[in-house]
Amino acid sequence: MLTPLDETLHHQAPLTFDHVHSTDHRFYDRQLMGGFRADGEIAFLAGITIFKNMNVMEGFAMVQARSNRQYNVRLTRQLRPMPDSEARIGPLSLTVIEAFKTLCYELESGDYPISLDMRFDAMLPPRLEHPHVSRGDGRLHTDYLRYNQLGRVSGHIMVEGERFEAGDWFGWRDHSWGVRPGVGGFEPMTGTPSAGGVASASRTGGKGLFLVHAGFRAGKLGGAVQLIEDGEGKRIYTEGEVREGEGDPIEVTDIAHDVIFKPGTRVFDRMALDLTLADGRHIPIEAQAVGRPWVYRGGGFDGGFTDGQGQGVWRSRDLAFEIDSYDISDPEAVILPDGSSATPKHREQLATCKIGGESGNAYIPMFVIGPQPRFGF
């Protein structure tokens, strides 16, 4: 089927733009954006994803308020007939005002307790991460690209009739596309079980997962880094860069970490990172958790949606909603809508940070999954 995108000169395969080169059912294309007030007591996260090989379009918006409740709106519908280049699903839309500089997410008000209209203005250029590619048991299970970017967010959020203004909040976004485990309703079993919960858990050969992805800005220095280790501490992936003011990016070649967990949990309270740069310098970062870590299940990740099948599953020809909220007053345990308690694996933490005497903010997803003897888990 032809779409307006087929009028451009940007084809990369003998296909129209309503198809992708891969037949893997897990192929996806996703944009995410989030931000929070400095104290972590009000925050938002929104995303839109297309799963072309599953004929599915999904979106979500989540808001956390006062470290005790996370409100979730999930949307899904059949993708085809293909929309034009507009990124919209029902009342949720993403507008790219200027590529890599200014974007807006809006969730129009409706029969749910939250709405938002948030604008992202870039502080740093986007960082294209090293390719994420991994095989297990002879099968390519991970093959995607992602860029991430830090910025300032402004606008407003409505929560149960209360309006929160955002003037200069710390914000982040990422855009990724390709093949990742754990979407599309099923993952082929080829012999080695995954630790589950997040896509990267498939990269450790069933030996557990420790992952840190930190985006940070303090004074004139900012950047983003990522490390992945198995439960025995073997490093699998290291990447990142830092920038000082308007200077060129400096590659991060190694990352040392020291984590202090909140008692009895796998959620960090404080974290120290020591970044080794390509020019030989070291940059120490001290982070302090604020608010509560995002429960990504609310956006459909980690086996989300009420059917438990997670993202990328065909559920409805027409637009369908799922609306709920979680009690997140405990640092780790989450009270789900049915009153049951769970400890979801996909959590991403808001934080303040200090770098070289300067104070700032950070967004630090940290996953600690499966056996982790060095941490006593």
Side-chain angles (χ1 to χ4, degrees), residues 188-363:
M189 179 57 181
T190 54
T192 302
S194 167
V198 297
S200 297
S202 296
R203 302 171 69 170
T204 64
K207 295 182 179 180
L209 171 72
F210 177 72
L211 181 151
V212 174
H213 187 171
F216 50 88
R217 181 69 183 262
K220 293 184 177 181
L221 192 140
V225 299
Q226 185 173 178
L227 66 91
I228 299 175
E229 298 174 349
D230 67 18
E232 298 173 354
K234 179 183 177 182
R235 183 67 58 87
I236 295 169
Y237 182 86
T238 302
E239 86 95 36
E241 69 179 27
V242 298
R243 289 176 181 264
E244 295 181 90
E246 301 297 322
D248 293 333
I250 305 170
E251 196 78 10
V252 172
T253 58
D254 194 19
I255 307 168
H257 56 81
D258 183 21
V259 181
I260 298 176
F261 294 88
K262 293 186 177 181
T265 78
R266 296 188 179 210
V267 175
F268 84 83
D269 180 51
R270 287 173 287 158
M271 180 185 298
L273 299 175
D274 185 14
L275 312 183
T276 302
L277 305 187
D279 62 9
R281 288 183 296 156
H282 286 260
I283 301 290
I285 301 174
E286 298 178 2
Q288 172 68 58
V290 296
R292 290 288 183 261
W294 283 109
V295 185
Y296 263 60
R297 182 182 295 185
F301 300 75
D302 199 4
F305 284 93
T306 55
D307 59 15
Q309 294 190 78
Q311 295 187 318
V313 174
W314 193 100
R315 294 181 171 92
S316 175
R317 184 176 302 276
D318 300 317
L319 181 65
F321 289 79
E322 289 191 0
I323 302 160
D324 55 28
S325 66
Y326 303 152
D327 181 339
I328 56 169
S329 52
D330 184 86
E332 184 173 50
V334 177
I335 306 302
L336 301 176
D338 63 2
S340 64
S341 178
T343 53
K345 296 177 180 179
H346 193 155
R347 307 296 298 270
E348 304 200 358
Q349 182 68 57
L350 322 177
T352 59
C353 68
K354 288 187 177 180
I355 307 173
E358 297 277 2
S359 297
N361 291 102
Y363 183 63

Side-chain angles (χ1 to χ4, degrees), residues 2 9 18 20 23 28 44 47 52 56 68 78 120 138 155 181 194 204 206 219 229 249 256 260 284 321 346 358:
L2 291 171
L9 299 176
D18 67 332
V20 295
T23 59
Y28 77 102
F44 83 97
K52 284 187 176 177
V56 170
N68 61 29
Q78 180 173 295
F120 175 98
S194 167
T204 64
E229 298 174 349
I260 298 176
F321 289 79
H346 193 155
E358 297 277 2

Side-chain angles (χ1 to χ4, degrees), residues 48-228:
I48 294 177
T49 312
I50 285 178
F51 302 89
K52 284 187 176 177
N53 290 340
M54 291 299 293
N55 197 23
V56 170
M57 186 175 194
E58 290 179 357
F60 70 87
M62 305 189 296
V63 172
Q64 288 193 1
R66 300 188 176 89
S67 297
N68 61 29
R69 188 149 295 273
Q70 178 176 307
Y71 301 86
N72 312 304
V73 176
R74 295 179 294 278
L75 309 99
T76 184
R77 69 169 175 83
Q78 180 173 295
L79 173 62
R80 293 175 174 85
M82 281 280 293
D84 295 340
S85 58
E86 180 185 43
R88 170 181 286 274
I89 177 168
L92 179 65
S93 63
L94 166 64
T95 303
V96 179
I97 298 172
E98 185 176 0
F100 308 124
K101 292 187 177 180
T102 305
L103 302 89
C104 291
Y105 258 105
E106 181 181 9
L107 176 66
E108 299 167 0
S109 58
D111 191 19
Y112 34 82
I114 61 173
S115 64
L116 57 88
D117 188 353
M118 301 295 283
R119 171 182 169 128
F120 175 98
D121 289 292
M123 291 190 295
L124 296 175
R127 160 72 177 181
L128 180 62
E129 301 173 10
H130 299 164
H132 296 264
V133 180
S134 186
R135 295 179 180 270
D137 302 324
R139 180 174 68 91
L140 181 69
H141 56 67
T142 301
D143 186 8
Y144 68 92
L145 280 177
R146 177 170 59 205
Y147 60 83
N148 60 72
Q149 189 171 29
L150 301 181
R152 300 179 178 87
V153 292
S154 57
H156 71 272
I157 298 171
M158 296 290 294
V159 182
E160 293 189 330
E162 185 176 0
R163 184 181 176 103
F164 295 88
E165 298 290 341
D168 188 17
W169 291 3
F170 180 82
W172 69 95
R173 57 180 289 258
D174 74 48
H175 184 183
S176 61
W177 61 95
V179 172
R180 299 181 76 179
V183 301
F186 71 96
E187 187 68 25
M189 179 57 181
T190 54
T192 302
S194 167
V198 297
S200 297
S202 296
R203 302 171 69 170
T204 64
K207 295 182 179 180
L209 171 72
F210 177 72
L211 181 151
V212 174
H213 187 171
F216 50 88
R217 181 69 183 262
K220 293 184 177 181
L221 192 140
V225 299
Q226 185 173 178
L227 66 91
I228 299 175

